[in-house]
mmCIF file of all heavy atoms in Angstrom:
data_model
loop_
_atom_site.group_PDB
_atom_site.id
_atom_site.type_symbol
_atom_site.label_atom_id
_atom_site.label_comp_id
_atom_site.label_asym_id
_atom_site.label_seq_id
_atom_site.Cartn_x
_atom_site.Cartn_y
_atom_site.Cartn_z
ATOM 1 N N LYS A 1 -124.345 112.253 -16.952
ATOM 2 C CA LYS A 1 -125.471 111.491 -17.501
ATOM 3 C C LYS A 1 -125.531 111.625 -19.014
ATOM 4 O O LYS A 1 -125.725 110.634 -19.737
ATOM 5 C CB LYS A 1 -126.759 111.991 -16.867
ATOM 6 C CG LYS A 1 -127.988 111.211 -17.325
ATOM 7 C CD LYS A 1 -129.241 111.714 -16.618
ATOM 8 C CE LYS A 1 -130.469 110.921 -17.077
ATOM 9 N NZ LYS A 1 -131.711 111.397 -16.418
ATOM 10 N N ARG A 2 -125.365 112.847 -19.519
ATOM 11 C CA ARG A 2 -125.351 113.025 -20.959
ATOM 12 C C ARG A 2 -124.106 112.398 -21.605
ATOM 13 O O ARG A 2 -124.135 111.982 -22.761
ATOM 14 C CB ARG A 2 -125.403 114.519 -21.294
ATOM 15 C CG ARG A 2 -126.761 115.155 -21.045
ATOM 16 C CD ARG A 2 -126.721 116.636 -21.389
ATOM 17 N NE ARG A 2 -128.034 117.247 -21.263
ATOM 18 C CZ ARG A 2 -128.942 117.298 -22.239
ATOM 19 N NH1 ARG A 2 -128.656 116.754 -23.411
ATOM 20 N NH2 ARG A 2 -130.119 117.873 -22.049
ATOM 21 N N TYR A 3 -122.998 112.354 -20.870
ATOM 22 C CA TYR A 3 -121.761 111.789 -21.407
ATOM 23 C C TYR A 3 -121.894 110.297 -21.690
ATOM 24 O O TYR A 3 -121.359 109.784 -22.670
ATOM 25 C CB TYR A 3 -120.624 112.054 -20.417
ATOM 26 C CG TYR A 3 -119.289 111.508 -20.853
ATOM 27 C CD1 TYR A 3 -118.587 112.109 -21.893
ATOM 28 C CD2 TYR A 3 -118.746 110.391 -20.228
ATOM 29 C CE1 TYR A 3 -117.359 111.617 -22.295
ATOM 30 C CE2 TYR A 3 -117.527 109.881 -20.635
ATOM 31 C CZ TYR A 3 -116.832 110.498 -21.663
ATOM 32 O OH TYR A 3 -115.619 109.998 -22.049
ATOM 33 N N VAL A 4 -122.605 109.576 -20.780
ATOM 34 C CA VAL A 4 -122.751 108.115 -20.938
ATOM 35 C C VAL A 4 -124.133 107.755 -21.461
ATOM 36 O O VAL A 4 -124.510 106.582 -21.436
ATOM 37 C CB VAL A 4 -122.486 107.416 -19.593
ATOM 38 C CG1 VAL A 4 -121.059 107.682 -19.131
ATOM 39 C CG2 VAL A 4 -123.483 107.880 -18.515
ATOM 40 N N GLN A 5 -124.900 108.736 -21.943
ATOM 41 C CA GLN A 5 -126.255 108.449 -22.388
ATOM 42 C C GLN A 5 -126.246 107.530 -23.616
ATOM 43 O O GLN A 5 -127.007 106.551 -23.683
ATOM 44 C CB GLN A 5 -126.982 109.761 -22.700
ATOM 45 C CG GLN A 5 -128.445 109.555 -23.106
ATOM 46 C CD GLN A 5 -129.155 110.872 -23.389
ATOM 47 O OE1 GLN A 5 -128.522 111.934 -23.308
ATOM 48 N NE2 GLN A 5 -130.428 110.808 -23.692
ATOM 49 N N ALA A 6 -125.376 107.838 -24.621
ATOM 50 C CA ALA A 6 -125.328 107.014 -25.827
ATOM 51 C C ALA A 6 -124.863 105.596 -25.523
ATOM 52 O O ALA A 6 -125.365 104.615 -26.079
ATOM 53 C CB ALA A 6 -124.398 107.672 -26.862
ATOM 54 N N TRP A 7 -123.897 105.498 -24.601
ATOM 55 C CA TRP A 7 -123.414 104.152 -24.249
ATOM 56 C C TRP A 7 -124.481 103.340 -23.551
ATOM 57 O O TRP A 7 -124.630 102.139 -23.798
ATOM 58 C CB TRP A 7 -122.175 104.311 -23.362
ATOM 59 C CG TRP A 7 -121.568 102.990 -22.982
ATOM 60 C CD1 TRP A 7 -121.102 102.036 -23.808
ATOM 61 C CD2 TRP A 7 -121.387 102.489 -21.655
ATOM 62 N NE1 TRP A 7 -120.627 100.972 -23.117
ATOM 63 C CE2 TRP A 7 -120.782 101.220 -21.768
ATOM 64 C CE3 TRP A 7 -121.659 102.999 -20.376
ATOM 65 C CZ2 TRP A 7 -120.464 100.436 -20.664
ATOM 66 C CZ3 TRP A 7 -121.314 102.223 -19.289
ATOM 67 C CH2 TRP A 7 -120.740 100.958 -19.438
ATOM 68 N N GLU A 8 -125.249 103.989 -22.650
ATOM 69 C CA GLU A 8 -126.339 103.307 -21.950
ATOM 70 C C GLU A 8 -127.417 102.851 -22.937
ATOM 71 O O GLU A 8 -127.953 101.737 -22.823
ATOM 72 C CB GLU A 8 -126.944 104.237 -20.881
ATOM 73 C CG GLU A 8 -125.997 104.586 -19.734
ATOM 74 C CD GLU A 8 -125.685 103.369 -18.882
ATOM 75 O OE1 GLU A 8 -126.462 102.388 -18.924
ATOM 76 O OE2 GLU A 8 -124.662 103.393 -18.173
ATOM 77 N N GLU A 9 -127.714 103.712 -23.904
ATOM 78 C CA GLU A 9 -128.710 103.306 -24.895
ATOM 79 C C GLU A 9 -128.199 102.163 -25.761
ATOM 80 O O GLU A 9 -128.977 101.284 -26.161
ATOM 81 C CB GLU A 9 -129.058 104.513 -25.770
ATOM 82 C CG GLU A 9 -129.814 105.604 -25.013
ATOM 83 C CD GLU A 9 -130.105 106.799 -25.909
ATOM 84 O OE1 GLU A 9 -129.649 106.767 -27.079
ATOM 85 O OE2 GLU A 9 -130.774 107.756 -25.447
ATOM 86 N N ALA A 10 -126.878 102.171 -26.096
ATOM 87 C CA ALA A 10 -126.321 101.075 -26.892
ATOM 88 C C ALA A 10 -126.343 99.769 -26.117
ATOM 89 O O ALA A 10 -126.560 98.692 -26.687
ATOM 90 C CB ALA A 10 -124.892 101.428 -27.311
ATOM 91 N N LYS A 11 -126.135 99.849 -24.783
ATOM 92 C CA LYS A 11 -126.185 98.623 -23.975
ATOM 93 C C LYS A 11 -127.576 98.032 -23.952
ATOM 94 O O LYS A 11 -127.750 96.816 -23.904
ATOM 95 C CB LYS A 11 -125.711 98.932 -22.547
ATOM 96 C CG LYS A 11 -124.210 99.143 -22.442
ATOM 97 C CD LYS A 11 -123.727 99.050 -21.024
ATOM 98 C CE LYS A 11 -124.374 100.109 -20.147
ATOM 99 N NZ LYS A 11 -123.866 100.032 -18.760
ATOM 100 N N LYS A 12 -128.593 98.903 -23.981
ATOM 101 C CA LYS A 12 -129.962 98.400 -23.971
ATOM 102 C C LYS A 12 -130.315 97.672 -25.268
ATOM 103 O O LYS A 12 -131.126 96.760 -25.260
ATOM 104 C CB LYS A 12 -130.922 99.556 -23.752
ATOM 105 C CG LYS A 12 -130.791 100.223 -22.390
ATOM 106 C CD LYS A 12 -131.736 101.409 -22.269
ATOM 107 C CE LYS A 12 -131.591 102.107 -20.916
ATOM 108 N NZ LYS A 12 -132.481 103.285 -20.807
ATOM 109 N N LYS A 13 -129.689 98.077 -26.366
ATOM 110 C CA LYS A 13 -129.986 97.451 -27.661
ATOM 111 C C LYS A 13 -129.213 96.159 -27.871
ATOM 112 O O LYS A 13 -129.499 95.409 -28.789
ATOM 113 C CB LYS A 13 -129.631 98.424 -28.792
ATOM 114 C CG LYS A 13 -130.491 99.677 -28.808
ATOM 115 C CD LYS A 13 -130.069 100.585 -29.946
ATOM 116 C CE LYS A 13 -130.904 101.853 -29.966
ATOM 117 N NZ LYS A 13 -130.501 102.781 -31.055
ATOM 118 N N GLY A 14 -128.212 95.855 -27.087
ATOM 119 C CA GLY A 14 -127.409 94.647 -27.280
ATOM 120 C C GLY A 14 -126.112 94.966 -28.016
ATOM 121 O O GLY A 14 -125.890 96.070 -28.487
ATOM 122 N N TYR A 15 -125.240 93.966 -28.173
ATOM 123 C CA TYR A 15 -123.933 94.136 -28.799
ATOM 124 C C TYR A 15 -124.028 93.824 -30.286
ATOM 125 O O TYR A 15 -124.617 92.817 -30.682
ATOM 126 C CB TYR A 15 -122.886 93.229 -28.139
ATOM 127 C CG TYR A 15 -122.607 93.614 -26.703
ATOM 128 C CD1 TYR A 15 -123.231 92.946 -25.652
ATOM 129 C CD2 TYR A 15 -121.734 94.650 -26.411
ATOM 130 C CE1 TYR A 15 -122.986 93.308 -24.336
ATOM 131 C CE2 TYR A 15 -121.482 95.013 -25.102
ATOM 132 C CZ TYR A 15 -122.109 94.337 -24.055
ATOM 133 O OH TYR A 15 -121.854 94.688 -22.775
ATOM 134 N N ASP A 16 -123.421 94.658 -31.102
ATOM 135 C CA ASP A 16 -123.371 94.478 -32.552
ATOM 136 C C ASP A 16 -121.905 94.571 -32.980
ATOM 137 O O ASP A 16 -121.396 95.649 -33.269
ATOM 138 C CB ASP A 16 -124.213 95.544 -33.256
ATOM 139 C CG ASP A 16 -124.248 95.321 -34.760
ATOM 140 O OD1 ASP A 16 -123.877 94.211 -35.194
ATOM 141 O OD2 ASP A 16 -124.640 96.246 -35.487
ATOM 142 N N MET A 17 -121.212 93.444 -32.957
ATOM 143 C CA MET A 17 -119.776 93.431 -33.250
ATOM 144 C C MET A 17 -119.543 92.819 -34.630
ATOM 145 O O MET A 17 -120.122 91.784 -34.965
ATOM 146 C CB MET A 17 -119.023 92.631 -32.177
ATOM 147 C CG MET A 17 -117.506 92.748 -32.292
ATOM 148 S SD MET A 17 -116.689 92.039 -30.874
ATOM 149 C CE MET A 17 -117.130 93.218 -29.608
ATOM 150 N N ARG A 18 -118.698 93.460 -35.423
ATOM 151 C CA ARG A 18 -118.413 92.979 -36.764
ATOM 152 C C ARG A 18 -117.541 91.724 -36.731
ATOM 153 O O ARG A 18 -116.822 91.471 -35.769
ATOM 154 C CB ARG A 18 -117.710 94.069 -37.564
ATOM 155 C CG ARG A 18 -118.558 95.321 -37.789
ATOM 156 C CD ARG A 18 -117.735 96.405 -38.427
ATOM 157 N NE ARG A 18 -116.630 96.791 -37.544
ATOM 158 C CZ ARG A 18 -115.655 97.625 -37.893
ATOM 159 N NH1 ARG A 18 -115.648 98.146 -39.097
ATOM 160 N NH2 ARG A 18 -114.704 97.926 -37.028
ATOM 161 N N ALA A 19 -117.588 90.994 -37.845
ATOM 162 C CA ALA A 19 -116.823 89.746 -37.905
ATOM 163 C C ALA A 19 -115.323 89.993 -38.036
ATOM 164 O O ALA A 19 -114.505 89.136 -37.692
ATOM 165 C CB ALA A 19 -117.303 88.884 -39.081
ATOM 166 N N ASP A 20 -114.934 91.176 -38.566
ATOM 167 C CA ASP A 20 -113.529 91.479 -38.730
ATOM 168 C C ASP A 20 -112.977 92.339 -37.602
ATOM 169 O O ASP A 20 -111.929 92.975 -37.759
ATOM 170 C CB ASP A 20 -113.302 92.188 -40.069
ATOM 171 C CG ASP A 20 -114.155 93.451 -40.179
ATOM 172 O OD1 ASP A 20 -115.067 93.622 -39.356
ATOM 173 O OD2 ASP A 20 -113.894 94.246 -41.098
ATOM 174 N N ALA A 21 -113.696 92.404 -36.467
ATOM 175 C CA ALA A 21 -113.197 93.162 -35.332
ATOM 176 C C ALA A 21 -111.988 92.470 -34.721
ATOM 177 O O ALA A 21 -111.826 91.245 -34.815
ATOM 178 C CB ALA A 21 -114.298 93.351 -34.282
ATOM 179 N N ILE A 22 -111.124 93.248 -34.089
ATOM 180 C CA ILE A 22 -109.896 92.691 -33.519
ATOM 181 C C ILE A 22 -110.195 91.665 -32.416
ATOM 182 O O ILE A 22 -109.576 90.591 -32.382
ATOM 183 C CB ILE A 22 -109.003 93.826 -32.995
ATOM 184 C CG1 ILE A 22 -108.553 94.705 -34.178
ATOM 185 C CG2 ILE A 22 -107.789 93.276 -32.259
ATOM 186 C CD1 ILE A 22 -107.723 95.893 -33.767
ATOM 187 N N PRO A 23 -111.135 91.922 -31.482
ATOM 188 C CA PRO A 23 -111.413 90.886 -30.477
ATOM 189 C C PRO A 23 -111.937 89.593 -31.083
ATOM 190 O O PRO A 23 -111.594 88.490 -30.606
ATOM 191 C CB PRO A 23 -112.467 91.560 -29.580
ATOM 192 C CG PRO A 23 -112.263 93.024 -29.764
ATOM 193 C CD PRO A 23 -111.868 93.181 -31.188
ATOM 194 N N ILE A 24 -112.753 89.695 -32.139
ATOM 195 C CA ILE A 24 -113.270 88.480 -32.778
ATOM 196 C C ILE A 24 -112.127 87.700 -33.420
ATOM 197 O O ILE A 24 -112.037 86.464 -33.300
ATOM 198 C CB ILE A 24 -114.347 88.852 -33.822
ATOM 199 C CG1 ILE A 24 -115.538 89.542 -33.140
ATOM 200 C CG2 ILE A 24 -114.807 87.618 -34.561
ATOM 201 C CD1 ILE A 24 -116.255 88.687 -32.131
ATOM 202 N N LYS A 25 -111.225 88.401 -34.118
ATOM 203 C CA LYS A 25 -110.086 87.718 -34.732
ATOM 204 C C LYS A 25 -109.187 87.082 -33.686
ATOM 205 O O LYS A 25 -108.683 85.971 -33.854
ATOM 206 C CB LYS A 25 -109.289 88.716 -35.577
ATOM 207 C CG LYS A 25 -110.013 89.165 -36.835
ATOM 208 C CD LYS A 25 -109.107 90.050 -37.680
ATOM 209 C CE LYS A 25 -109.796 90.433 -38.972
ATOM 210 N NZ LYS A 25 -108.925 91.283 -39.829
ATOM 211 N N THR A 26 -108.982 87.796 -32.583
ATOM 212 C CA THR A 26 -108.152 87.233 -31.509
ATOM 213 C C THR A 26 -108.777 85.965 -30.937
ATOM 214 O O THR A 26 -108.086 84.959 -30.686
ATOM 215 C CB THR A 26 -107.978 88.286 -30.408
ATOM 216 O OG1 THR A 26 -107.433 89.482 -30.978
ATOM 217 C CG2 THR A 26 -107.046 87.775 -29.325
ATOM 218 N N ALA A 27 -110.092 85.994 -30.729
ATOM 219 C CA ALA A 27 -110.776 84.816 -30.195
ATOM 220 C C ALA A 27 -110.694 83.645 -31.163
ATOM 221 O O ALA A 27 -110.482 82.489 -30.759
ATOM 222 C CB ALA A 27 -112.233 85.173 -29.897
ATOM 223 N N LYS A 28 -110.851 83.919 -32.464
ATOM 224 C CA LYS A 28 -110.762 82.837 -33.448
ATOM 225 C C LYS A 28 -109.366 82.241 -33.491
ATOM 226 O O LYS A 28 -109.202 81.014 -33.570
ATOM 227 C CB LYS A 28 -111.143 83.373 -34.832
ATOM 228 C CG LYS A 28 -112.636 83.659 -34.987
ATOM 229 C CD LYS A 28 -112.935 84.137 -36.400
ATOM 230 C CE LYS A 28 -114.430 84.386 -36.576
ATOM 231 N NZ LYS A 28 -114.751 84.832 -37.951
ATOM 232 N N ALA A 29 -108.327 83.109 -33.450
ATOM 233 C CA ALA A 29 -106.958 82.597 -33.460
ATOM 234 C C ALA A 29 -106.673 81.761 -32.220
ATOM 235 O O ALA A 29 -106.046 80.692 -32.306
ATOM 236 C CB ALA A 29 -105.976 83.773 -33.550
ATOM 237 N N SER A 30 -107.147 82.211 -31.052
ATOM 238 C CA SER A 30 -106.954 81.426 -29.828
ATOM 239 C C SER A 30 -107.673 80.094 -29.917
ATOM 240 O O SER A 30 -107.155 79.045 -29.485
ATOM 241 C CB SER A 30 -107.473 82.228 -28.623
ATOM 242 O OG SER A 30 -106.784 83.466 -28.516
ATOM 243 N N ARG A 31 -108.873 80.099 -30.495
ATOM 244 C CA ARG A 31 -109.616 78.845 -30.644
ATOM 245 C C ARG A 31 -108.899 77.877 -31.578
ATOM 246 O O ARG A 31 -108.820 76.666 -31.310
ATOM 247 C CB ARG A 31 -111.002 79.161 -31.182
ATOM 248 C CG ARG A 31 -111.910 77.940 -31.339
ATOM 249 C CD ARG A 31 -113.102 78.256 -32.201
ATOM 250 N NE ARG A 31 -112.655 78.654 -33.539
ATOM 251 C CZ ARG A 31 -113.467 79.131 -34.454
ATOM 252 N NH1 ARG A 31 -114.739 79.338 -34.195
ATOM 253 N NH2 ARG A 31 -112.994 79.470 -35.647
ATOM 254 N N ASP A 32 -108.328 78.406 -32.686
ATOM 255 C CA ASP A 32 -107.612 77.534 -33.618
ATOM 256 C C ASP A 32 -106.366 76.946 -32.972
ATOM 257 O O ASP A 32 -106.037 75.768 -33.177
ATOM 258 C CB ASP A 32 -107.224 78.330 -34.869
ATOM 259 C CG ASP A 32 -108.453 78.793 -35.643
ATOM 260 O OD1 ASP A 32 -109.529 78.165 -35.452
ATOM 261 O OD2 ASP A 32 -108.339 79.755 -36.423
ATOM 262 N N ILE A 33 -105.656 77.770 -32.185
ATOM 263 C CA ILE A 33 -104.454 77.258 -31.516
ATOM 264 C C ILE A 33 -104.819 76.164 -30.517
ATOM 265 O O ILE A 33 -104.171 75.110 -30.446
ATOM 266 C CB ILE A 33 -103.712 78.414 -30.830
ATOM 267 C CG1 ILE A 33 -103.166 79.395 -31.877
ATOM 268 C CG2 ILE A 33 -102.593 77.892 -29.942
ATOM 269 C CD1 ILE A 33 -102.558 80.645 -31.286
ATOM 270 N N ALA A 34 -105.861 76.422 -29.737
ATOM 271 C CA ALA A 34 -106.291 75.420 -28.759
ATOM 272 C C ALA A 34 -106.795 74.166 -29.449
ATOM 273 O O ALA A 34 -106.527 73.036 -29.010
ATOM 274 C CB ALA A 34 -107.382 76.013 -27.859
ATOM 275 N N SER A 35 -107.511 74.333 -30.577
ATOM 276 C CA SER A 35 -108.019 73.170 -31.299
ATOM 277 C C SER A 35 -106.876 72.351 -31.879
ATOM 278 O O SER A 35 -106.904 71.115 -31.837
ATOM 279 C CB SER A 35 -108.960 73.640 -32.416
ATOM 280 O OG SER A 35 -109.402 72.547 -33.175
ATOM 281 N N ASP A 36 -105.837 73.008 -32.440
ATOM 282 C CA ASP A 36 -104.707 72.278 -32.979
ATOM 283 C C ASP A 36 -103.957 71.535 -31.879
ATOM 284 O O ASP A 36 -103.496 70.405 -32.080
ATOM 285 C CB ASP A 36 -103.769 73.255 -33.694
ATOM 286 C CG ASP A 36 -102.648 72.542 -34.413
ATOM 287 O OD1 ASP A 36 -102.926 71.856 -35.413
ATOM 288 O OD2 ASP A 36 -101.484 72.666 -33.974
ATOM 289 N N TYR A 37 -103.842 72.166 -30.725
ATOM 290 C CA TYR A 37 -103.171 71.506 -29.609
ATOM 291 C C TYR A 37 -103.966 70.277 -29.153
ATOM 292 O O TYR A 37 -103.397 69.198 -28.929
ATOM 293 C CB TYR A 37 -103.004 72.494 -28.458
ATOM 294 C CG TYR A 37 -102.458 71.861 -27.197
ATOM 295 C CD1 TYR A 37 -101.119 71.516 -27.089
ATOM 296 C CD2 TYR A 37 -103.310 71.593 -26.120
ATOM 297 C CE1 TYR A 37 -100.619 70.936 -25.947
ATOM 298 C CE2 TYR A 37 -102.822 70.999 -24.974
ATOM 299 C CZ TYR A 37 -101.473 70.671 -24.880
ATOM 300 O OH TYR A 37 -100.996 70.068 -23.745
ATOM 301 N N LYS A 38 -105.293 70.398 -29.021
ATOM 302 C CA LYS A 38 -106.124 69.267 -28.626
ATOM 303 C C LYS A 38 -106.112 68.163 -29.674
ATOM 304 O O LYS A 38 -106.164 66.980 -29.358
ATOM 305 C CB LYS A 38 -107.566 69.742 -28.384
ATOM 306 C CG LYS A 38 -107.737 70.618 -27.146
ATOM 307 C CD LYS A 38 -107.500 69.832 -25.877
ATOM 308 C CE LYS A 38 -107.754 70.716 -24.641
ATOM 309 N NZ LYS A 38 -107.491 69.967 -23.374
ATOM 310 N N TYR A 39 -106.027 68.584 -30.967
ATOM 311 C CA TYR A 39 -106.057 67.602 -32.050
ATOM 312 C C TYR A 39 -104.793 66.741 -32.037
ATOM 313 O O TYR A 39 -104.845 65.531 -32.299
ATOM 314 C CB TYR A 39 -106.193 68.339 -33.386
ATOM 315 C CG TYR A 39 -106.149 67.433 -34.578
ATOM 316 C CD1 TYR A 39 -107.231 66.617 -34.905
ATOM 317 C CD2 TYR A 39 -105.027 67.384 -35.394
ATOM 318 C CE1 TYR A 39 -107.185 65.787 -36.002
ATOM 319 C CE2 TYR A 39 -104.974 66.552 -36.489
ATOM 320 C CZ TYR A 39 -106.064 65.752 -36.804
ATOM 321 O OH TYR A 39 -106.018 64.920 -37.893
ATOM 322 N N LYS A 40 -103.644 67.366 -31.680
ATOM 323 C CA LYS A 40 -102.376 66.638 -31.695
ATOM 324 C C LYS A 40 -101.973 66.119 -30.320
ATOM 325 O O LYS A 40 -100.889 65.544 -30.177
ATOM 326 C CB LYS A 40 -101.265 67.546 -32.220
ATOM 327 C CG LYS A 40 -101.451 67.950 -33.678
ATOM 328 C CD LYS A 40 -100.310 68.801 -34.149
ATOM 329 C CE LYS A 40 -100.473 69.183 -35.607
ATOM 330 N NZ LYS A 40 -99.362 70.038 -36.091
ATOM 331 N N GLU A 41 -102.826 66.299 -29.329
ATOM 332 C CA GLU A 41 -102.454 65.879 -27.973
ATOM 333 C C GLU A 41 -102.297 64.368 -27.896
ATOM 334 O O GLU A 41 -101.313 63.846 -27.349
ATOM 335 C CB GLU A 41 -103.511 66.368 -26.988
ATOM 336 C CG GLU A 41 -103.168 66.050 -25.528
ATOM 337 C CD GLU A 41 -104.226 66.581 -24.575
ATOM 338 O OE1 GLU A 41 -105.251 67.120 -25.056
ATOM 339 O OE2 GLU A 41 -104.013 66.462 -23.355
ATOM 340 N N THR A 42 -103.254 63.620 -28.463
ATOM 341 C CA THR A 42 -103.182 62.153 -28.429
ATOM 342 C C THR A 42 -101.995 61.637 -29.228
ATOM 343 O O THR A 42 -101.301 60.682 -28.825
ATOM 344 C CB THR A 42 -104.492 61.566 -28.996
ATOM 345 O OG1 THR A 42 -105.594 62.114 -28.271
ATOM 346 C CG2 THR A 42 -104.506 60.055 -28.845
ATOM 347 N N HIS A 43 -101.719 62.295 -30.370
ATOM 348 C CA HIS A 43 -100.585 61.870 -31.190
ATOM 349 C C HIS A 43 -99.262 62.082 -30.451
ATOM 350 O O HIS A 43 -98.354 61.242 -30.525
ATOM 351 C CB HIS A 43 -100.592 62.653 -32.512
ATOM 352 C CG HIS A 43 -99.375 62.423 -33.352
ATOM 353 N ND1 HIS A 43 -99.093 61.204 -33.943
ATOM 354 C CD2 HIS A 43 -98.345 63.256 -33.690
ATOM 355 C CE1 HIS A 43 -97.957 61.288 -34.611
ATOM 356 N NE2 HIS A 43 -97.487 62.532 -34.470
#
């Protein structure tokens, strides 16, 4: 209980993720790739 106490309290406060985090960058890169593919699909 004490081991996961800080994590449980952080979950109650919500997620605070930085803009330069690796998952955020990965999501942005995937979105750009998908957007470029959709943009050139008709062409």
